[in-house]
Each structure stands twice: as C-alpha cells, then as structure tokens.
C-alpha cells in the first residue's frame, strides 16, 4: 500500500550514510588520539622518573599488592564464570584443581622471584634473566617455547 512505502522511505532517511558513519568514527578516533597525545606530552614534560622506574616500579609495591595483581592478571574473568560451573559439574575435585592451577604459579613466582632479583638486581624481565644466565641460545630457546 502507498502508506507502507511512505513509512519505509522516511525511516530509511533517518539512517546515517556509510560515508557519514566512517567520518564520525574516524573523526572521534582522531579527536581522542589528539587528546591522548596532548595529555601524554604534558605528563612526559613533568616526569621526574627515569625509564627504569617507569617500566619496573622497582620496590614500590608490597607483597599483597603484587600478589593480587598477578592473580587478577593470570586468572582473569574465568574466575567469575568457569570455577562455579566446574564446581557444579565436577564437584570438589574440580574446585581443588582450579584452586591449585591458580595458586601454584603465584607460589612459584614468589619462590623464584627473589632468586632472580639476587642474580639480576636491575633486570626488568624474565628474558633479561635468561639472557644473563644462559646466553643467547637459551634466550632464543625460551622465546620459541
């Protein structure tokens, strides 16, 4: 009917064209890029720390803060969704498995971390430690693994 055709034409006129949509997206990205660069440049000029302090934050955090950070990084969102599901399906054994898989890496890191710091006090990454301890062949192997 003619009324339906008219409604369809007026509804399609409300949409943004493809070029307008691309312009809005790229324009928004450009504005936020400029704002981010300006803020970064302002903080860069007022920075009092060197690159080592910025990258490592060496000796600035306590054990609780670091442990929670590593837990959140390693566990992620699966803690919220997978553990309850596995506990319902697999019972206490599945819950114990997920608990161990979350805590064992943190415990290993807590055990190995001081050893790495003793041997490489100004190192930044695990790759730095492997390079110092085993040389380039060990570092290449570690990178490939």
């Amino acid at each position: 009917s003619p009324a339906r055709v008219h409604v369809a034409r007026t509804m399609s006129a409300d949409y943004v064209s493809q070029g307008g949509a691309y312009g809005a997206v790229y324009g928004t990205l450009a504005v936020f890029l400029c704002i981010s660069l300006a803020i970064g440049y302002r903080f860069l000029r007022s920075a009092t720390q060197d690159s080592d302090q910025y990258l490592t934050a060496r000796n600035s955090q306590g054990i609780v803060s670091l442990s929670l950070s590593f837990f959140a990084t390693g566990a992620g969102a699966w803690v919220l969704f997978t553990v309850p599901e596995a506990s319902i399906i697999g019972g206490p054994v599945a819950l114990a498995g997920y608990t161990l898989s979350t805590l064992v890496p943190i415990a290993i890191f807590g055990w190995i971390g001081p050893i790495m710091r003793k041997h490489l006090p100004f190192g930044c990454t695990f790759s730095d430690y492997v390079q110092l301890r085993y040389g380039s062949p060990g570092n290449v192997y570690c990178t490939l693994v």
Side-chain angles (χ1 to χ4, degrees):
S1 77
R4 286 189 182 168
V5 172
H6 179 69
V7 169
R9 284 187 197 153
T10 58
M11 288 180 66
S12 67
D14 292 337
Y15 293 118
V16 178
S17 67
Q18 185 176 5
Y22 281 136
V25 168
Y26 292 130
T28 304
L29 286 174
V31 166
F32 279 102
L33 174 67
C34 292
I35 291 171
S36 299
L37 289 174
I39 291 171
Y41 181 72
R42 187 175 131 217
F43 282 118
L44 179 66
R45 290 186 55 191
S46 66
T48 58
Q49 56 184 337
D50 61 357
S51 60
D52 182 63
Q53 288 176 329
Y54 177 74
L55 290 174
T56 62
R58 194 177 320 281
N59 297 326
S60 67
Q61 300 298 313
I63 188 71
V64 174
S65 174
L66 285 175
S67 297
L68 291 175
S69 176
F70 282 118
F71 173 75
T73 302
W78 70 267
V79 169
L80 301 174
F81 306 112
T82 308
V83 175
E85 180 183 350
S87 298
I88 290 172
I89 294 171
V93 173
L95 181 61
Y98 272 106
T99 303
L100 287 175
S101 70
T102 303
L103 295 178
V104 167
I106 293 173
I108 290 172
F109 186 77
W111 172 56
I112 292 178
I115 297 170
M116 288 176 60
R117 180 174 277 179
K118 184 176 86 174
H119 291 294
L120 191 63
F122 295 104
C124 181
T125 63
F126 180 69
S127 181
D128 291 341
Y129 177 77
V130 171
Q131 178 70 33
L132 179 72
R133 178 93 167 122
Y134 301 106
S136 294
N139 202 358
V140 169
Y141 175 74
C142 212
T143 302
L144 293 175
V145 169

